[in-house]
PDB file of all heavy atoms in Angstrom:
ATOM      1  N   PHE A   6      36.372  17.091  52.202  1.00 89.00           N
ATOM      2  CA  PHE A   6      35.792  16.303  51.104  1.00 89.00           C
ATOM      3  C   PHE A   6      34.322  15.943  51.343  1.00 89.00           C
ATOM      4  O   PHE A   6      33.801  15.058  50.683  1.00 89.00           O
ATOM      5  CB  PHE A   6      36.598  15.013  50.850  1.00 89.00           C
ATOM      6  CG  PHE A   6      38.059  15.272  50.674  1.00 89.00           C
ATOM      7  CD1 PHE A   6      38.964  14.881  51.633  1.00 89.00           C
ATOM      8  CD2 PHE A   6      38.531  15.929  49.543  1.00 89.00           C
ATOM      9  CE1 PHE A   6      40.326  15.133  51.476  1.00 89.00           C
ATOM     10  CE2 PHE A   6      39.878  16.185  49.384  1.00 89.00           C
ATOM     11  CZ  PHE A   6      40.785  15.789  50.347  1.00 89.00           C
ATOM     12  N   GLY A   7      33.678  16.584  52.285  1.00 92.00           N
ATOM     13  CA  GLY A   7      32.272  16.303  52.571  1.00 92.00           C
ATOM     14  C   GLY A   7      32.044  14.952  53.233  1.00 92.00           C
ATOM     15  O   GLY A   7      30.899  14.514  53.392  1.00 92.00           O
ATOM     16  N   LEU A   8      33.128  14.285  53.629  1.00 94.00           N
ATOM     17  CA  LEU A   8      33.023  12.939  54.191  1.00 94.00           C
ATOM     18  C   LEU A   8      32.240  12.890  55.503  1.00 94.00           C
ATOM     19  O   LEU A   8      31.357  12.025  55.654  1.00 94.00           O
ATOM     20  CB  LEU A   8      34.412  12.321  54.357  1.00 94.00           C
ATOM     21  CG  LEU A   8      34.458  10.869  54.788  1.00 94.00           C
ATOM     22  CD1 LEU A   8      33.774   9.985  53.748  1.00 94.00           C
ATOM     23  CD2 LEU A   8      35.877  10.421  54.994  1.00 94.00           C
ATOM     24  N   PRO A   9      32.481  13.779  56.477  1.00 94.00           N
ATOM     25  CA  PRO A   9      31.679  13.726  57.704  1.00 94.00           C
ATOM     26  C   PRO A   9      30.180  13.903  57.445  1.00 94.00           C
ATOM     27  O   PRO A   9      29.354  13.279  58.094  1.00 94.00           O
ATOM     28  CB  PRO A   9      32.235  14.865  58.561  1.00 94.00           C
ATOM     29  CG  PRO A   9      33.641  15.019  58.098  1.00 94.00           C
ATOM     30  CD  PRO A   9      33.582  14.740  56.622  1.00 94.00           C
ATOM     31  N   SER A  10      29.826  14.749  56.470  1.00 96.00           N
ATOM     32  CA  SER A  10      28.412  14.932  56.130  1.00 96.00           C
ATOM     33  C   SER A  10      27.816  13.643  55.581  1.00 96.00           C
ATOM     34  O   SER A  10      26.699  13.255  55.948  1.00 96.00           O
ATOM     35  CB  SER A  10      28.246  16.032  55.079  1.00 96.00           C
ATOM     36  OG  SER A  10      28.677  17.257  55.580  1.00 96.00           O
ATOM     37  N   ILE A  11      28.561  12.987  54.716  1.00 95.00           N
ATOM     38  CA  ILE A  11      28.071  11.725  54.129  1.00 95.00           C
ATOM     39  C   ILE A  11      27.895  10.680  55.225  1.00 95.00           C
ATOM     40  O   ILE A  11      26.874   9.984  55.273  1.00 95.00           O
ATOM     41  CB  ILE A  11      29.042  11.235  53.036  1.00 95.00           C
ATOM     42  CG1 ILE A  11      29.034  12.206  51.849  1.00 95.00           C
ATOM     43  CG2 ILE A  11      28.686   9.813  52.587  1.00 95.00           C
ATOM     44  CD1 ILE A  11      30.141  11.979  50.861  1.00 95.00           C
ATOM     45  N   LEU A  12      28.873  10.587  56.130  1.00 96.00           N
ATOM     46  CA  LEU A  12      28.763   9.627  57.232  1.00 96.00           C
ATOM     47  C   LEU A  12      27.568   9.946  58.127  1.00 96.00           C
ATOM     48  O   LEU A  12      26.837   9.042  58.556  1.00 96.00           O
ATOM     49  CB  LEU A  12      30.048   9.603  58.052  1.00 96.00           C
ATOM     50  CG  LEU A  12      31.267   8.980  57.368  1.00 96.00           C
ATOM     51  CD1 LEU A  12      32.520   9.205  58.188  1.00 96.00           C
ATOM     52  CD2 LEU A  12      31.036   7.511  57.126  1.00 96.00           C
ATOM     53  N   ALA A  13      27.345  11.231  58.417  1.00 96.00           N
ATOM     54  CA  ALA A  13      26.204  11.623  59.255  1.00 96.00           C
ATOM     55  C   ALA A  13      24.888  11.235  58.586  1.00 96.00           C
ATOM     56  O   ALA A  13      23.966  10.735  59.240  1.00 96.00           O
ATOM     57  CB  ALA A  13      26.245  13.120  59.530  1.00 96.00           C
ATOM     58  N   ILE A  14      24.789  11.433  57.285  1.00 96.00           N
ATOM     59  CA  ILE A  14      23.555  11.112  56.563  1.00 96.00           C
ATOM     60  C   ILE A  14      23.324   9.596  56.537  1.00 96.00           C
ATOM     61  O   ILE A  14      22.218   9.115  56.800  1.00 96.00           O
ATOM     62  CB  ILE A  14      23.591  11.707  55.139  1.00 96.00           C
ATOM     63  CG1 ILE A  14      23.545  13.243  55.230  1.00 96.00           C
ATOM     64  CG2 ILE A  14      22.452  11.174  54.288  1.00 96.00           C
ATOM     65  CD1 ILE A  14      23.874  13.959  53.935  1.00 96.00           C
ATOM     66  N   VAL A  15      24.381   8.834  56.267  1.00 96.00           N
ATOM     67  CA  VAL A  15      24.247   7.370  56.215  1.00 96.00           C
ATOM     68  C   VAL A  15      23.883   6.816  57.589  1.00 96.00           C
ATOM     69  O   VAL A  15      22.938   6.028  57.729  1.00 96.00           O
ATOM     70  CB  VAL A  15      25.552   6.725  55.681  1.00 96.00           C
ATOM     71  CG1 VAL A  15      25.553   5.220  55.884  1.00 96.00           C
ATOM     72  CG2 VAL A  15      25.744   7.057  54.212  1.00 96.00           C
ATOM     73  N   PHE A  16      24.623   7.234  58.638  1.00 96.00           N
ATOM     74  CA  PHE A  16      24.326   6.746  59.986  1.00 96.00           C
ATOM     75  C   PHE A  16      22.955   7.238  60.461  1.00 96.00           C
ATOM     76  O   PHE A  16      22.263   6.540  61.201  1.00 96.00           O
ATOM     77  CB  PHE A  16      25.415   7.151  60.983  1.00 96.00           C
ATOM     78  CG  PHE A  16      26.670   6.338  60.872  1.00 96.00           C
ATOM     79  CD1 PHE A  16      27.907   6.957  60.766  1.00 96.00           C
ATOM     80  CD2 PHE A  16      26.627   4.954  60.890  1.00 96.00           C
ATOM     81  CE1 PHE A  16      29.068   6.210  60.675  1.00 96.00           C
ATOM     82  CE2 PHE A  16      27.782   4.191  60.807  1.00 96.00           C
ATOM     83  CZ  PHE A  16      29.008   4.825  60.692  1.00 96.00           C
ATOM     84  N   GLY A  17      22.561   8.437  60.049  1.00 96.00           N
ATOM     85  CA  GLY A  17      21.237   8.941  60.413  1.00 96.00           C
ATOM     86  C   GLY A  17      20.128   8.077  59.830  1.00 96.00           C
ATOM     87  O   GLY A  17      19.143   7.772  60.512  1.00 96.00           O
ATOM     88  N   ALA A  18      20.291   7.680  58.570  1.00 96.00           N
ATOM     89  CA  ALA A  18      19.286   6.808  57.940  1.00 96.00           C
ATOM     90  C   ALA A  18      19.253   5.441  58.629  1.00 96.00           C
ATOM     91  O   ALA A  18      18.171   4.896  58.909  1.00 96.00           O
ATOM     92  CB  ALA A  18      19.598   6.646  56.452  1.00 96.00           C
ATOM     93  N   GLN A  19      20.438   4.889  58.933  1.00 96.00           N
ATOM     94  CA  GLN A  19      20.485   3.609  59.642  1.00 96.00           C
ATOM     95  C   GLN A  19      19.883   3.725  61.043  1.00 96.00           C
ATOM     96  O   GLN A  19      19.162   2.840  61.491  1.00 96.00           O
ATOM     97  CB  GLN A  19      21.934   3.118  59.765  1.00 96.00           C
ATOM     98  CG  GLN A  19      22.546   2.662  58.478  1.00 96.00           C
ATOM     99  CD  GLN A  19      24.019   2.284  58.646  1.00 96.00           C
ATOM    100  OE1 GLN A  19      24.634   2.561  59.685  1.00 96.00           O
ATOM    101  NE2 GLN A  19      24.592   1.671  57.623  1.00 96.00           N
ATOM    102  N   GLY A  20      20.174   4.830  61.722  1.00 95.00           N
ATOM    103  CA  GLY A  20      19.650   5.037  63.067  1.00 95.00           C
ATOM    104  C   GLY A  20      18.137   5.169  63.081  1.00 95.00           C
ATOM    105  O   GLY A  20      17.463   4.661  63.974  1.00 95.00           O
ATOM    106  N   ARG A  21      17.562   5.840  62.084  1.00 95.00           N
ATOM    107  CA  ARG A  21      16.099   5.960  62.011  1.00 95.00           C
ATOM    108  C   ARG A  21      15.454   4.607  61.735  1.00 95.00           C
ATOM    109  O   ARG A  21      14.409   4.284  62.299  1.00 95.00           O
ATOM    110  CB  ARG A  21      15.692   6.985  60.959  1.00 95.00           C
ATOM    111  CG  ARG A  21      15.925   8.410  61.444  1.00 95.00           C
ATOM    112  CD  ARG A  21      15.377   9.453  60.500  1.00 95.00           C
ATOM    113  NE  ARG A  21      13.995   9.254  60.151  1.00 95.00           N
ATOM    114  CZ  ARG A  21      12.951   9.731  60.836  1.00 95.00           C
ATOM    115  NH1 ARG A  21      13.166  10.426  61.933  1.00 95.00           N
ATOM    116  NH2 ARG A  21      11.723   9.536  60.423  1.00 95.00           N
ATOM    117  N   LYS A  22      16.090   3.804  60.888  1.00 95.00           N
ATOM    118  CA  LYS A  22      15.551   2.468  60.601  1.00 95.00           C
ATOM    119  C   LYS A  22      15.589   1.596  61.858  1.00 95.00           C
ATOM    120  O   LYS A  22      14.614   0.915  62.186  1.00 95.00           O
ATOM    121  CB  LYS A  22      16.354   1.809  59.475  1.00 95.00           C
ATOM    122  CG  LYS A  22      15.825   0.468  59.047  1.00 95.00           C
ATOM    123  CD  LYS A  22      16.611  -0.092  57.876  1.00 95.00           C
ATOM    124  CE  LYS A  22      16.066  -1.430  57.456  1.00 95.00           C
ATOM    125  NZ  LYS A  22      16.820  -2.017  56.361  1.00 95.00           N
ATOM    126  N   LEU A  23      16.697   1.629  62.592  1.00 93.00           N
ATOM    127  CA  LEU A  23      16.816   0.868  63.833  1.00 93.00           C
ATOM    128  C   LEU A  23      15.829   1.385  64.885  1.00 93.00           C
ATOM    129  O   LEU A  23      15.246   0.606  65.636  1.00 93.00           O
ATOM    130  CB  LEU A  23      18.248   0.926  64.371  1.00 93.00           C
ATOM    131  CG  LEU A  23      18.530   0.156  65.657  1.00 93.00           C
ATOM    132  CD1 LEU A  23      18.187  -1.326  65.501  1.00 93.00           C
ATOM    133  CD2 LEU A  23      19.981   0.317  66.065  1.00 93.00           C
ATOM    134  N   ALA A  24      15.608   2.712  64.917  1.00 93.00           N
ATOM    135  CA  ALA A  24      14.655   3.291  65.868  1.00 93.00           C
ATOM    136  C   ALA A  24      13.240   2.756  65.603  1.00 93.00           C
ATOM    137  O   ALA A  24      12.499   2.461  66.546  1.00 93.00           O
ATOM    138  CB  ALA A  24      14.676   4.813  65.771  1.00 93.00           C
ATOM    139  N   GLU A  25      12.870   2.618  64.347  1.00 93.00           N
ATOM    140  CA  GLU A  25      11.553   2.056  64.014  1.00 93.00           C
ATOM    141  C   GLU A  25      11.434   0.628  64.532  1.00 93.00           C
ATOM    142  O   GLU A  25      10.403   0.241  65.085  1.00 93.00           O
ATOM    143  CB  GLU A  25      11.319   2.079  62.502  1.00 93.00           C
ATOM    144  CG  GLU A  25      11.052   3.441  61.942  1.00 93.00           C
ATOM    145  CD  GLU A  25      10.879   3.415  60.437  1.00 93.00           C
ATOM    146  OE1 GLU A  25      10.588   2.330  59.875  1.00 93.00           O
ATOM    147  OE2 GLU A  25      11.046   4.479  59.809  1.00 93.00           O
ATOM    148  N   GLN A  26      12.491  -0.158  64.348  1.00 91.00           N
ATOM    149  CA  GLN A  26      12.469  -1.545  64.820  1.00 91.00           C
ATOM    150  C   GLN A  26      12.377  -1.598  66.352  1.00 91.00           C
ATOM    151  O   GLN A  26      11.638  -2.410  66.900  1.00 91.00           O
ATOM    152  CB  GLN A  26      13.719  -2.290  64.343  1.00 91.00           C
ATOM    153  CG  GLN A  26      13.783  -2.482  62.850  1.00 91.00           C
ATOM    154  CD  GLN A  26      15.135  -3.013  62.394  1.00 91.00           C
ATOM    155  OE1 GLN A  26      16.067  -3.118  63.168  1.00 91.00           O
ATOM    156  NE2 GLN A  26      15.225  -3.348  61.113  1.00 91.00           N
ATOM    157  N   LEU A  27      13.122  -0.744  67.028  1.00 89.00           N
ATOM    158  CA  LEU A  27      13.097  -0.727  68.492  1.00 89.00           C
ATOM    159  C   LEU A  27      11.732  -0.282  69.014  1.00 89.00           C
ATOM    160  O   LEU A  27      11.230  -0.833  69.987  1.00 89.00           O
ATOM    161  CB  LEU A  27      14.196   0.184  69.037  1.00 89.00           C
ATOM    162  CG  LEU A  27      15.632  -0.269  68.791  1.00 89.00           C
ATOM    163  CD1 LEU A  27      16.618   0.789  69.266  1.00 89.00           C
ATOM    164  CD2 LEU A  27      15.901  -1.597  69.460  1.00 89.00           C
ATOM    165  N   GLU A  28      11.137   0.705  68.366  1.00 90.00           N
ATOM    166  CA  GLU A  28       9.820   1.171  68.795  1.00 90.00           C
ATOM    167  C   GLU A  28       8.752   0.113  68.564  1.00 90.00           C
ATOM    168  O   GLU A  28       7.851  -0.068  69.379  1.00 90.00           O
ATOM    169  CB  GLU A  28       9.449   2.461  68.069  1.00 90.00           C
ATOM    170  CG  GLU A  28      10.232   3.654  68.565  1.00 90.00           C
ATOM    171  CD  GLU A  28      10.051   4.879  67.700  1.00 90.00           C
ATOM    172  OE1 GLU A  28       9.343   4.810  66.678  1.00 90.00           O
ATOM    173  OE2 GLU A  28      10.631   5.926  68.041  1.00 90.00           O
ATOM    174  N   SER A  29       8.860  -0.625  67.455  1.00 88.00           N
ATOM    175  CA  SER A  29       7.873  -1.689  67.206  1.00 88.00           C
ATOM    176  C   SER A  29       8.047  -2.845  68.184  1.00 88.00           C
ATOM    177  O   SER A  29       7.100  -3.582  68.453  1.00 88.00           O
ATOM    178  CB  SER A  29       7.972  -2.192  65.762  1.00 88.00           C
ATOM    179  OG  SER A  29       9.202  -2.853  65.554  1.00 88.00           O
ATOM    180  N   ALA A  30       9.256  -2.989  68.756  1.00 84.00           N
ATOM    181  CA  ALA A  30       9.496  -4.019  69.769  1.00 84.00           C
ATOM    182  C   ALA A  30       9.103  -3.542  71.162  1.00 84.00           C
ATOM    183  O   ALA A  30       9.200  -4.296  72.117  1.00 84.00           O
ATOM    184  CB  ALA A  30      10.965  -4.435  69.758  1.00 84.00           C
ATOM    185  N   GLY A  31       8.671  -2.276  71.280  1.00 84.00           N
ATOM    186  CA  GLY A  31       8.206  -1.769  72.564  1.00 84.00           C
ATOM    187  C   GLY A  31       9.242  -1.033  73.387  1.00 84.00           C
ATOM    188  O   GLY A  31       8.980  -0.681  74.523  1.00 84.00           O
ATOM    189  N   GLN A  32      10.416  -0.779  72.830  1.00 85.00           N
ATOM    190  CA  GLN A  32      11.446  -0.065  73.588  1.00 85.00           C
ATOM    191  C   GLN A  32      11.167   1.433  73.507  1.00 85.00           C
ATOM    192  O   GLN A  32      10.971   1.974  72.426  1.00 85.00           O
ATOM    193  CB  GLN A  32      12.831  -0.379  73.038  1.00 85.00           C
ATOM    194  CG  GLN A  32      13.942   0.231  73.863  1.00 85.00           C
ATOM    195  CD  GLN A  32      15.299  -0.293  73.477  1.00 85.00           C
ATOM    196  OE1 GLN A  32      15.410  -1.443  73.057  1.00 85.00           O
ATOM    197  NE2 GLN A  32      16.316   0.518  73.602  1.00 85.00           N
ATOM    198  N   ARG A  33      11.146   2.085  74.653  1.00 84.00           N
ATOM    199  CA  ARG A  33      10.790   3.507  74.705  1.00 84.00           C
ATOM    200  C   ARG A  33      11.917   4.399  74.206  1.00 84.00           C
ATOM    201  O   ARG A  33      11.684   5.344  73.474  1.00 84.00           O
ATOM    202  CB  ARG A  33      10.407   3.890  76.122  1.00 84.00           C
ATOM    203  CG  ARG A  33       9.121   3.226  76.564  1.00 84.00           C
ATOM    204  CD  ARG A  33       8.761   3.551  77.960  1.00 84.00           C
ATOM    205  NE  ARG A  33       8.711   5.000  78.135  1.00 84.00           N
ATOM    206  CZ  ARG A  33       8.485   5.589  79.276  1.00 84.00           C
ATOM    207  NH1 ARG A  33       8.289   4.872  80.348  1.00 84.00           N
ATOM    208  NH2 ARG A  33       8.456   6.901  79.367  1.00 84.00           N
ATOM    209  N   GLU A  34      13.137   4.131  74.606  1.00 87.00           N
ATOM    210  CA  GLU A  34      14.283   4.950  74.204  1.00 87.00           C
ATOM    211  C   GLU A  34      14.863   4.373  72.913  1.00 87.00           C
ATOM    212  O   GLU A  34      15.734   3.521  72.944  1.00 87.00           O
ATOM    213  CB  GLU A  34      15.342   4.971  75.301  1.00 87.00           C
ATOM    214  CG  GLU A  34      14.893   5.603  76.593  1.00 87.00           C
ATOM    215  CD  GLU A  34      14.644   7.095  76.438  1.00 87.00           C
ATOM    216  OE1 GLU A  34      15.357   7.743  75.659  1.00 87.00           O
ATOM    217  OE2 GLU A  34      13.717   7.601  77.089  1.00 87.00           O
ATOM    218  N   SER A  35      14.365   4.853  71.771  1.00 90.00           N
ATOM    219  CA  SER A  35      14.785   4.260  70.505  1.00 90.00           C
ATOM    220  C   SER A  35      15.915   5.019  69.828  1.00 90.00           C
ATOM    221  O   SER A  35      16.551   4.492  68.930  1.00 90.00           O
ATOM    222  CB  SER A  35      13.597   4.186  69.545  1.00 90.00           C
ATOM    223  OG  SER A  35      13.154   5.489  69.203  1.00 90.00           O
ATOM    224  N   GLY A  36      16.168   6.265  70.216  1.00 92.00           N
ATOM    225  CA  GLY A  36      17.218   7.051  69.583  1.00 92.00           C
ATOM    226  C   GLY A  36      16.765   7.755  68.320  1.00 92.00           C
ATOM    227  O   GLY A  36      17.587   8.255  67.557  1.00 92.00           O
ATOM    228  N   ARG A  37      15.452   7.809  68.084  1.00 94.00           N
ATOM    229  CA  ARG A  37      14.939   8.450  66.872  1.00 94.00           C
ATOM    230  C   ARG A  37      15.350   9.932  66.820  1.00 94.00           C
ATOM    231  O   ARG A  37      15.714  10.435  65.757  1.00 94.00           O
ATOM    232  CB  ARG A  37      13.426   8.323  66.793  1.00 94.00           C
ATOM    233  CG  ARG A  37      12.835   9.001  65.560  1.00 94.00           C
ATOM    234  CD  ARG A  37      11.328   8.907  65.523  1.00 94.00           C
ATOM    235  NE  ARG A  37      10.866   7.547  65.387  1.00 94.00           N
ATOM    236  CZ  ARG A  37      10.748   6.913  64.228  1.00 94.00           C
ATOM    237  NH1 ARG A  37      11.070   7.525  63.116  1.00 94.00           N
ATOM    238  NH2 ARG A  37      10.303   5.680  64.181  1.00 94.00           N
ATOM    239  N   GLY A  38      15.300  10.619  67.942  1.00 94.00           N
ATOM    240  CA  GLY A  38      15.662  12.044  67.960  1.00 94.00           C
ATOM    241  C   GLY A  38      17.112  12.269  67.594  1.00 94.00           C
ATOM    242  O   GLY A  38      17.438  13.179  66.820  1.00 94.00           O
ATOM    243  N   ARG A  39      18.008  11.437  68.142  1.00 94.00           N
ATOM    244  CA  ARG A  39      19.437  11.563  67.803  1.00 94.00           C
ATOM    245  C   ARG A  39      19.668  11.278  66.327  1.00 94.00           C
ATOM    246  O   ARG A  39      20.446  11.971  65.673  1.00 94.00           O
ATOM    247  CB  ARG A  39      20.267  10.596  68.637  1.00 94.00           C
ATOM    248  CG  ARG A  39      20.604  11.114  70.007  1.00 94.00           C
ATOM    249  CD  ARG A  39      21.381  10.108  70.795  1.00 94.00           C
ATOM    250  NE  ARG A  39      20.442   9.044  71.154  1.00 94.00           N
ATOM    251  CZ  ARG A  39      20.742   7.782  71.299  1.00 94.00           C
ATOM    252  NH1 ARG A  39      21.972   7.375  71.135  1.00 94.00           N
ATOM    253  NH2 ARG A  39      19.826   6.892  71.623  1.00 94.00           N
ATOM    254  N   ALA A  40      18.986  10.240  65.812  1.00 95.00           N
ATOM    255  CA  ALA A  40      19.164   9.883  64.399  1.00 95.00           C
ATOM    256  C   ALA A  40      18.668  10.994  63.491  1.00 95.00           C
ATOM    257  O   ALA A  40      19.333  11.361  62.517  1.00 95.00           O
ATOM    258  CB  ALA A  40      18.427   8.586  64.098  1.00 95.00           C
ATOM    259  N   THR A  41      17.501  11.552  63.815  1.00 96.00           N
ATOM    260  CA  THR A  41      16.951  12.634  63.000  1.00 96.00           C
ATOM    261  C   THR A  41      17.836  13.873  63.089  1.00 96.00           C
ATOM    262  O   THR A  41      18.111  14.519  62.074  1.00 96.00           O
ATOM    263  CB  THR A  41      15.520  12.965  63.456  1.00 96.00           C
ATOM    264  OG1 THR A  41      14.732  11.779  63.377  1.00 96.00           O
ATOM    265  CG2 THR A  41      14.897  14.037  62.590  1.00 96.00           C
TER     266      THR A  41
END
């Protein structure tokens, strides 16, 4: 039903947003690559 794809896209968007916050706080390992 395309559900895993939808979950990957939603979590990817959330992960990129969290990565931006972590990078602005100075954390080096933000997970941006995994999210993308």
Side-chain angles (χ1 to χ4, degrees):
F6 308 110
L8 186 61
S10 297
I11 293 168
L12 290 171
I14 293 167
V15 168
F16 284 129
Q19 289 176 349
R21 285 187 53 88
K22 184 177 180 182
L23 181 58
E25 287 178 20
Q26 293 170 353
L27 294 175
E28 287 170 358
S29 67
Q32 185 169 329
R33 293 178 55 184
E34 297 293 326
S35 65
R37 179 182 295 275
R39 277 178 288 148
T41 303

